Amino acid sequence: EIMPSLVGSEMCIRDSLCSAIISDTLLFRSPTCTPIDKMAATELAKIAEIDMDRYAADMFSAGSNLRGKSNDEIFYQDFKKFNDSNINFGVGQISSMNKEELSACKGKLLPYMEEVRTSYGLDMVFFMMTDIINESTELLMVGEMCKEVIENAFETTVEDSSAELPGVVSRKKQLIPAILGQLS
């Protein structure tokens, strides 16, 4: 009687571990992904009999269902504050496999970001809307220095408080180092 429940628990743990790796690495598209991540997820998926591509699509679709969510729920899903010398800034991020779903958030998030900036006393607030399929981010921003910082960091153009950043999917490895490089 104990054995079936242990087997079920082990399968649940394998599913969870595989889910964590897929999520953290954006199905191996993030620069934070290591060969060990890919190897471990592949082995866990085999053992748990998971079709990793289908599983990831279902997982990201469920996690990114932004319809009906409040600005708070979307914005604070993954938000962190940073500082460099006298500059304080915050960066939030959502990821989706549906670019239209991301675009629908833009109009309501920009005014909300200004409220967040003011309430936390931040100099700048950035919000990454990451398109997993196309491995790109539309970066929303508010604050006086944002445009200059992002245009110089990524050699791009900021229009209407927004910039397209092809190939940028990681806050930790791509966005934050670029911002800090401009602030120093």
Side-chain angles (χ1 to χ4, degrees):
E1 286 181 32
I2 295 172
M3 200 58 154
S5 66
L6 286 176
V7 170
S9 295
E10 287 177 16
M11 284 301 247
C12 185
I13 290 168
R14 288 183 191 123
D15 287 1
S16 296
L17 290 171
C18 193
S19 297
I21 295 169
I22 290 169
S23 176
D24 191 50
T25 66
L26 297 177
L27 190 57
F28 317 121
R29 289 173 168 85
S30 174
T32 61
C33 181
T34 67
I36 292 172
D37 291 328
K38 195 166 190 173
M39 181 188 71
T42 301
E43 287 303 312
L44 289 165
K46 276 186 209 170
I47 293 167
E49 299 176 356
I50 294 172
D51 175 337
M52 219 173 344
D53 290 326
R54 175 182 225 97
Y55 186 77
D58 291 345
M59 187 175 79
F60 286 122
S61 292
S64 75
N65 185 1
L66 303 174
R67 286 182 209 91
K69 288 189 176 177
S70 70
N71 289 338
D72 275 357
E73 290 172 311
I74 294 169
F75 189 82
Y76 289 109
Q77 192 168 321
D78 189 2
F79 177 74
K80 294 184 173 132
K81 292 184 280 184
F82 302 89
N83 62 49
D84 180 67
S85 303
N86 297 326
I87 305 295
N88 295 306
F89 63 98
V91 181
Q93 183 174 23
I94 54 172
S95 301
S96 178
M97 296 182 83
N98 183 334
K99 188 164 179 67
E100 291 76 32
E101 181 179 53
L102 291 170
S103 295
C105 295
K106 181 179 176 178
K108 64 182 187 174
L109 282 177
L110 276 169
Y112 184 76
M113 289 169 60
E114 183 57 37
E115 291 175 27
V116 170
R117 190 184 75 74
T118 303
S119 70
Y120 281 103
L122 299 171
D123 298 293
M124 301 178 285
V125 174
F126 300 94
F127 193 76
M128 300 175 72
M129 298 192 314
T130 302
D131 178 347
I132 298 166
I133 297 295
N134 295 308
E135 297 180 43
S136 68
T137 290
E138 180 176 3
L139 183 67
L140 307 180
M141 62 200 81
V142 295
E144 286 186 34
M145 298 171 46
C146 291
K147 182 177 186 204
E148 180 183 336
V149 167
I150 297 304
E151 285 183 343
N152 290 332
F154 293 99
E155 298 179 10
T156 189
T157 303
V158 173
E159 293 180 20
D160 300 323
S161 300
S162 172
E164 289 294 329
L165 304 178
V168 175
V169 295
S170 173
R171 174 176 48 204
K172 178 181 175 181
K173 293 255 181 161
Q174 294 173 302
L175 187 70
I176 299 303
I179 291 172
L180 292 174
Q182 291 301 307
L183 295 177
S184 59

